[in-house]
Every structure is written in structure tokens, then in C-alpha cells.
């Protein structure tokens, strides 16, 4: 029972901002270093780790429990029911972005589920945002795309001034409920210091690793459910990079049309 409960709680906890994740991992004794027999000892461990007082940590634990309770309830509602008629939705999207390359590269691994019969094409897109003040413009040739597995790229078109539409023809049409995985690589110079996912179809999970390498920005911020056009937003939890110059964020139940990811200065 303990193992089953831990397996259910851990992904919910790990989807939270870093400070909430630490206090809940300690509160539920999911963190090896915080597996102490008494709750107060686990609170003290989290307080030392975050350099906060015990009262603040207890308050953050209460806030975190409310958030994972909401996530658990939302998880019981399938994405296809929330947004009917979309044809398919993403069950899992995992992206690894390497910014320490001559040209930034992103590896994208996506698992989709068909919500209708005869799904033969996935309509994907990628945005290379630019500010109005810059005067720059995006061209279809600015984005390099390689398909590693899961289909054939049949169409690339500018859908807007900064969004490039992609059509991926599947090896065979999907029936309702069928799953399919694709692997892609993108290469492009980023015009803005941010990387976000703006889904046009529902997305259950977005997992993002970003590698800055030796040039770690002064400030890295998590952005969740913000307007894609809000390129000046600096709100969100501040994310620390690890010793390898990397950050990791995870989002659940992404709403189509909103942006989820990170921004840095």
C-alpha cells in the first residue's frame, strides 16, 4: 500500500514548482534524505534545504497539498472529454533542448492517442517568437526538422508571422483509442530567451529538460498557462540550474492555446 501510494503521489509532487516539490517530498518522506520517523524532523530538513523557517515550510506544505489534490481530481477527467472534437491528443510530450550547441537543438518525443477513427495526419507546429520592437521576421527556412521515427513530414507552411505549421503523415491511420509515438529533432536560432509549448490539441504531460551548459542565465523562470503573446512576462517560480547547467520542468493537463515552459534573462 505504501509503494502504491508513493507511486501515485510522486508524479503529482514532481510536477510542482521546485520549492513546493521539496517540501512535499519531505512531508511525505518520498525523499531519501528526509525519511525521518517524525513529521517535525522532516519539516526541519526542508527548512534547512530551502533556508526557510519551519512555519513557512508548514504553510508551503499546506499549499502544495491543495495543488496536488486539484491535480489528482483533474487527472480523473480525460483530456478528450475536456476538449471534444479535436481528433487526437498528446498523452506525453518529452523535449530535451540543448542551448550549448552552435545552433540550438531540441529532441521531441511525443505519444498521441486517437480520439476518433481514421486519424492519418498529425497537425503540429512550432513557434519562433520575436518581439515587435526587434523588427525581425521568421521564415519557414529558419527551422530545421528531422523525423527520427513515426511518420513522414508532408507539409511545412507559415501559419502566422512566427508560427510554422507541420503535417506529419502517419504510417497507417489510427483507430479510436490507439496510441502512436513520434520522434523529431528541431534546429533553430531562438529569437527570444524562452522556450514554451503552446499546444493546439490537449496535452496530458509536457516534460522539458533545458541544457544551458557553462552559460547559465542569471534568472530562469517557470511559465505556466500564460498568453503566448506575453513575451515580457517575468512572473513565475525561479528555477535553479544544477551543476551541469540544466533545468527540468514538468507540466500536466496543458490547455490548448496557452504557453508552458521557461524564460530566462
Amino acid at each position: 500500500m505504501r509503494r502504491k501510494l508513493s507511486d501515485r503521489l510522486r508524479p503529482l509532487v514532481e510536477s510542482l514548482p521546485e520549492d513546493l516539490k521539496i517540501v512535499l517530498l519531505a512531508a511525505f518522506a518520498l525523499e531519501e534524505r528526509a525519511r525521518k520517523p517524525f513529521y517535525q524532523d522532516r519539516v526541519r530538513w526542508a527548512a534547512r534545504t530551502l533556508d526557510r523557517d519551519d512555519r513557512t515550510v508548514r504553510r508551503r506544505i499546506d499549499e502544495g497539498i491543495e495543488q496536488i489534490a486539484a491535480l489528482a481530481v483533474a487527472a480523473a477527467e480525460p483530456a478528450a472529454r475536456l476538449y471534444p472534437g479535436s481528433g487526437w491528443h498528446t498523452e506525453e510530450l518529452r523535449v530535451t533542448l540543448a542551448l550549448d550547441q552552435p545552433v540550438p537543438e531540441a529532441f521531441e518525443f511525443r505519444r498521441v492517442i486517437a480520439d476518433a477513427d481514421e486519424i492519418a495526419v498529425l497537425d503540429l507546429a512550432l513557434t519562433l517568437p520575436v518581439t515587435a520592437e526587434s523588427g525581425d521576421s521568421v521564415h519557414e527556412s529558419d527551422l530545421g526538422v528531422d523525423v527520427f521515427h513515426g511518420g513522414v513530414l508532408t507539409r511545412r507552411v507559415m501559419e502566422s508571422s512566427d508560427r510554422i505549421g507541420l503535417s506529419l503523415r502517419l504510417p497507417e491511420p489510427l483507430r479510436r483509442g490507439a496510441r502512436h509515438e513520434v520522434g523529431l529533432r528541431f534546429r533553430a536560432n531562438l529569437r527570444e530567451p524562452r522556450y514554451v509549448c503552446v499546444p493546439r490539441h490537449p496535452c496530458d504531460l509536457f516534460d522539458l529538460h533545458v541544457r544551458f551548459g557553462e552559460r547559465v542565465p542569471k534568472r530562469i523562470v517557470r511559465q505556466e498557462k500564460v498568453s503566448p503573446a506575453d513575451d515580457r512576462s517575468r512572473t513565475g517560480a525561479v528555477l535553479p540550474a544544477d551543476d551541469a547547467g540544466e533545468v527540468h520542468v514538468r507540466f500536466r493537463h496543458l490547455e490548448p492555446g496557452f504557453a508552458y515552459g521557461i524564460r530566462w534573462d
Side-chain angles (χ1 to χ4, degrees), residues 112-132:
V112 304
I113 300 178
D115 298 321
D117 289 330
E118 299 300 314
I119 300 298
V121 176
L122 303 182
D123 53 323
L124 308 174
L126 193 139
T127 301
L128 297 175
V130 296
T131 59

PDB file of all heavy atoms in Angstrom, residues 112-132:
ATOM      1  N   VAL A 112       0.842  10.101 -28.836  1.00  0.00           N
ATOM      2  CA  VAL A 112      -0.507  10.627 -29.035  1.00  0.00           C
ATOM      3  C   VAL A 112      -1.524   9.498 -28.911  1.00  0.00           C
ATOM      4  O   VAL A 112      -1.195   8.317 -29.073  1.00  0.00           O
ATOM      5  CB  VAL A 112      -0.647  11.321 -30.405  1.00  0.00           C
ATOM      6  CG1 VAL A 112       0.393  12.427 -30.563  1.00  0.00           C
ATOM      7  CG2 VAL A 112      -0.522  10.320 -31.548  1.00  0.00           C
ATOM      8  N   ILE A 113      -2.774   9.888 -28.639  1.00  0.00           N
ATOM      9  CA  ILE A 113      -3.890   8.954 -28.582  1.00  0.00           C
ATOM     10  C   ILE A 113      -4.974   9.457 -29.519  1.00  0.00           C
ATOM     11  O   ILE A 113      -5.355  10.636 -29.478  1.00  0.00           O
ATOM     12  CB  ILE A 113      -4.454   8.835 -27.152  1.00  0.00           C
ATOM     13  CG1 ILE A 113      -3.390   8.331 -26.178  1.00  0.00           C
ATOM     14  CG2 ILE A 113      -5.661   7.890 -27.128  1.00  0.00           C
ATOM     15  CD1 ILE A 113      -3.886   8.231 -24.746  1.00  0.00           C
ATOM     16  N   ALA A 114      -5.478   8.583 -30.365  1.00  0.00           N
ATOM     17  CA  ALA A 114      -6.558   8.942 -31.284  1.00  0.00           C
ATOM     18  C   ALA A 114      -7.881   8.989 -30.531  1.00  0.00           C
ATOM     19  O   ALA A 114      -8.221   8.061 -29.805  1.00  0.00           O
ATOM     20  CB  ALA A 114      -6.631   7.946 -32.432  1.00  0.00           C
ATOM     21  N   ASP A 115      -8.615  10.092 -30.700  1.00  0.00           N
ATOM     22  CA  ASP A 115      -9.934  10.243 -30.076  1.00  0.00           C
ATOM     23  C   ASP A 115     -11.053  10.018 -31.088  1.00  0.00           C
ATOM     24  O   ASP A 115     -12.226  10.239 -30.788  1.00  0.00           O
ATOM     25  CB  ASP A 115     -10.061  11.642 -29.466  1.00  0.00           C
ATOM     26  CG  ASP A 115      -9.033  11.870 -28.370  1.00  0.00           C
ATOM     27  OD1 ASP A 115      -8.776  10.931 -27.593  1.00  0.00           O
ATOM     28  OD2 ASP A 115      -8.457  12.973 -28.306  1.00  0.00           O
ATOM     29  N   ALA A 116     -10.666   9.599 -32.296  1.00  0.00           N
ATOM     30  CA  ALA A 116     -11.630   9.287 -33.360  1.00  0.00           C
ATOM     31  C   ALA A 116     -10.982   8.256 -34.274  1.00  0.00           C
ATOM     32  O   ALA A 116      -9.784   7.971 -34.163  1.00  0.00           O
ATOM     33  CB  ALA A 116     -12.010  10.550 -34.139  1.00  0.00           C
ATOM     34  N   ASP A 117     -11.747   7.690 -35.169  1.00  0.00           N
ATOM     35  CA  ASP A 117     -11.206   6.727 -36.131  1.00  0.00           C
ATOM     36  C   ASP A 117     -10.564   7.443 -37.316  1.00  0.00           C
ATOM     37  O   ASP A 117     -10.863   8.607 -37.611  1.00  0.00           O
ATOM     38  CB  ASP A 117     -12.321   5.808 -36.637  1.00  0.00           C
ATOM     39  CG  ASP A 117     -12.793   4.825 -35.571  1.00  0.00           C
ATOM     40  OD1 ASP A 117     -11.963   4.449 -34.720  1.00  0.00           O
ATOM     41  OD2 ASP A 117     -13.981   4.449 -35.593  1.00  0.00           O
ATOM     42  N   GLU A 118      -9.670   6.723 -37.974  1.00  0.00           N
ATOM     43  CA  GLU A 118      -9.047   7.177 -39.223  1.00  0.00           C
ATOM     44  C   GLU A 118      -8.250   8.474 -39.051  1.00  0.00           C
ATOM     45  O   GLU A 118      -8.330   9.381 -39.884  1.00  0.00           O
ATOM     46  CB  GLU A 118     -10.101   7.337 -40.319  1.00  0.00           C
ATOM     47  CG  GLU A 118     -10.824   6.046 -40.671  1.00  0.00           C
ATOM     48  CD  GLU A 118      -9.880   4.957 -41.165  1.00  0.00           C
ATOM     49  OE1 GLU A 118      -9.017   5.272 -42.003  1.00  0.00           O
ATOM     50  OE2 GLU A 118      -9.991   3.815 -40.690  1.00  0.00           O
ATOM     51  N   ILE A 119      -7.467   8.549 -37.973  1.00  0.00           N
ATOM     52  CA  ILE A 119      -6.547   9.677 -37.817  1.00  0.00           C
ATOM     53  C   ILE A 119      -5.278   9.352 -38.595  1.00  0.00           C
ATOM     54  O   ILE A 119      -4.507   8.470 -38.210  1.00  0.00           O
ATOM     55  CB  ILE A 119      -6.222   9.936 -36.325  1.00  0.00           C
ATOM     56  CG1 ILE A 119      -7.500  10.245 -35.556  1.00  0.00           C
ATOM     57  CG2 ILE A 119      -5.207  11.066 -36.189  1.00  0.00           C
ATOM     58  CD1 ILE A 119      -8.222  11.483 -36.032  1.00  0.00           C
ATOM     59  N   ALA A 120      -5.050  10.055 -39.693  1.00  0.00           N
ATOM     60  CA  ALA A 120      -3.933   9.733 -40.589  1.00  0.00           C
ATOM     61  C   ALA A 120      -2.828  10.771 -40.563  1.00  0.00           C
ATOM     62  O   ALA A 120      -1.704  10.492 -40.991  1.00  0.00           O
ATOM     63  CB  ALA A 120      -4.450   9.575 -42.027  1.00  0.00           C
ATOM     64  N   VAL A 121      -3.134  11.988 -40.094  1.00  0.00           N
ATOM     65  CA  VAL A 121      -2.160  13.084 -40.121  1.00  0.00           C
ATOM     66  C   VAL A 121      -2.190  13.809 -38.782  1.00  0.00           C
ATOM     67  O   VAL A 121      -3.272  14.061 -38.229  1.00  0.00           O
ATOM     68  CB  VAL A 121      -2.466  14.078 -41.265  1.00  0.00           C
ATOM     69  CG1 VAL A 121      -1.496  15.260 -41.218  1.00  0.00           C
ATOM     70  CG2 VAL A 121      -2.381  13.381 -42.617  1.00  0.00           C
ATOM     71  N   LEU A 122      -1.016  14.134 -38.266  1.00  0.00           N
ATOM     72  CA  LEU A 122      -0.906  14.974 -37.071  1.00  0.00           C
ATOM     73  C   LEU A 122      -0.527  16.381 -37.517  1.00  0.00           C
ATOM     74  O   LEU A 122       0.460  16.565 -38.243  1.00  0.00           O
ATOM     75  CB  LEU A 122       0.164  14.437 -36.116  1.00  0.00           C
ATOM     76  CG  LEU A 122      -0.008  13.000 -35.626  1.00  0.00           C
ATOM     77  CD1 LEU A 122       1.113  12.653 -34.645  1.00  0.00           C
ATOM     78  CD2 LEU A 122      -1.369  12.788 -34.988  1.00  0.00           C
ATOM     79  N   ASP A 123      -1.324  17.360 -37.107  1.00  0.00           N
ATOM     80  CA  ASP A 123      -1.014  18.753 -37.422  1.00  0.00           C
ATOM     81  C   ASP A 123      -0.235  19.340 -36.252  1.00  0.00           C
ATOM     82  O   ASP A 123      -0.772  19.607 -35.192  1.00  0.00           O
ATOM     83  CB  ASP A 123      -2.279  19.559 -37.721  1.00  0.00           C
ATOM     84  CG  ASP A 123      -3.314  19.446 -36.609  1.00  0.00           C
ATOM     85  OD1 ASP A 123      -3.447  18.355 -36.033  1.00  0.00           O
ATOM     86  OD2 ASP A 123      -3.986  20.442 -36.317  1.00  0.00           O
ATOM     87  N   LEU A 124       1.056  19.513 -36.466  1.00  0.00           N
ATOM     88  CA  LEU A 124       1.965  20.035 -35.447  1.00  0.00           C
ATOM     89  C   LEU A 124       2.395  21.436 -35.836  1.00  0.00           C
ATOM     90  O   LEU A 124       2.140  21.895 -36.942  1.00  0.00           O
ATOM     91  CB  LEU A 124       3.190  19.115 -35.305  1.00  0.00           C
ATOM     92  CG  LEU A 124       2.887  17.627 -35.092  1.00  0.00           C
ATOM     93  CD1 LEU A 124       4.173  16.823 -35.123  1.00  0.00           C
ATOM     94  CD2 LEU A 124       2.139  17.411 -33.793  1.00  0.00           C
ATOM     95  N   ALA A 125       3.061  22.117 -34.922  1.00  0.00           N
ATOM     96  CA  ALA A 125       3.548  23.467 -35.227  1.00  0.00           C
ATOM     97  C   ALA A 125       4.630  23.832 -34.233  1.00  0.00           C
ATOM     98  O   ALA A 125       4.711  23.271 -33.133  1.00  0.00           O
ATOM     99  CB  ALA A 125       2.404  24.490 -35.172  1.00  0.00           C
ATOM    100  N   LEU A 126       5.460  24.786 -34.628  1.00  0.00           N
ATOM    101  CA  LEU A 126       6.492  25.305 -33.725  1.00  0.00           C
ATOM    102  C   LEU A 126       6.590  26.806 -33.936  1.00  0.00           C
ATOM    103  O   LEU A 126       6.584  27.287 -35.076  1.00  0.00           O
ATOM    104  CB  LEU A 126       7.838  24.636 -33.990  1.00  0.00           C
ATOM    105  CG  LEU A 126       8.894  24.884 -32.899  1.00  0.00           C
ATOM    106  CD1 LEU A 126       9.671  23.605 -32.606  1.00  0.00           C
ATOM    107  CD2 LEU A 126       9.853  25.977 -33.307  1.00  0.00           C
ATOM    108  N   THR A 127       6.650  27.534 -32.818  1.00  0.00           N
ATOM    109  CA  THR A 127       6.703  28.992 -32.858  1.00  0.00           C
ATOM    110  C   THR A 127       8.104  29.475 -32.544  1.00  0.00           C
ATOM    111  O   THR A 127       8.728  29.018 -31.589  1.00  0.00           O
ATOM    112  CB  THR A 127       5.712  29.603 -31.857  1.00  0.00           C
ATOM    113  OG1 THR A 127       4.394  29.158 -32.183  1.00  0.00           O
ATOM    114  CG2 THR A 127       5.751  31.123 -31.901  1.00  0.00           C
ATOM    115  N   LEU A 128       8.610  30.412 -33.357  1.00  0.00           N
ATOM    116  CA  LEU A 128       9.877  31.091 -33.090  1.00  0.00           C
ATOM    117  C   LEU A 128       9.537  32.543 -32.783  1.00  0.00           C
ATOM    118  O   LEU A 128       9.524  33.392 -33.675  1.00  0.00           O
ATOM    119  CB  LEU A 128      10.810  31.006 -34.306  1.00  0.00           C
ATOM    120  CG  LEU A 128      11.245  29.598 -34.711  1.00  0.00           C
ATOM    121  CD1 LEU A 128      12.058  29.643 -35.992  1.00  0.00           C
ATOM    122  CD2 LEU A 128      12.040  28.940 -33.598  1.00  0.00           C
ATOM    123  N   PRO A 129       9.215  32.847 -31.524  1.00  0.00           N
ATOM    124  CA  PRO A 129       8.675  34.174 -31.194  1.00  0.00           C
ATOM    125  C   PRO A 129       9.702  35.279 -31.373  1.00  0.00           C
ATOM    126  O   PRO A 129      10.893  35.109 -31.124  1.00  0.00           O
ATOM    127  CB  PRO A 129       8.270  34.031 -29.725  1.00  0.00           C
ATOM    128  CG  PRO A 129       9.140  32.944 -29.200  1.00  0.00           C
ATOM    129  CD  PRO A 129       9.321  31.993 -30.335  1.00  0.00           C
ATOM    130  N   VAL A 130       9.221  36.424 -31.821  1.00  0.00           N
ATOM    131  CA  VAL A 130      10.036  37.632 -31.930  1.00  0.00           C
ATOM    132  C   VAL A 130       9.240  38.782 -31.335  1.00  0.00           C
ATOM    133  O   VAL A 130       8.010  38.771 -31.325  1.00  0.00           O
ATOM    134  CB  VAL A 130      10.409  37.952 -33.396  1.00  0.00           C
ATOM    135  CG1 VAL A 130      11.271  36.866 -33.986  1.00  0.00           C
ATOM    136  CG2 VAL A 130       9.158  38.139 -34.247  1.00  0.00           C
ATOM    137  N   THR A 131       9.936  39.785 -30.829  1.00  0.00           N
ATOM    138  CA  THR A 131       9.263  40.956 -30.280  1.00  0.00           C
ATOM    139  C   THR A 131       8.947  41.938 -31.398  1.00  0.00           C
ATOM    140  O   THR A 131       9.640  41.996 -32.422  1.00  0.00           O
ATOM    141  CB  THR A 131      10.145  41.643 -29.227  1.00  0.00           C
ATOM    142  OG1 THR A 131      11.378  42.031 -29.841  1.00  0.00           O
ATOM    143  CG2 THR A 131      10.442  40.700 -28.080  1.00  0.00           C
ATOM    144  N   ALA A 132       7.917  42.714 -31.181  1.00  0.00           N
ATOM    145  CA  ALA A 132       7.551  43.712 -32.183  1.00  0.00           C
ATOM    146  C   ALA A 132       8.658  44.743 -32.366  1.00  0.00           C
ATOM    147  O   ALA A 132       8.863  45.278 -33.459  1.00  0.00           O
ATOM    148  CB  ALA A 132       6.241  44.394 -31.777  1.00  0.00           C
TER     149      ALA A 132
END
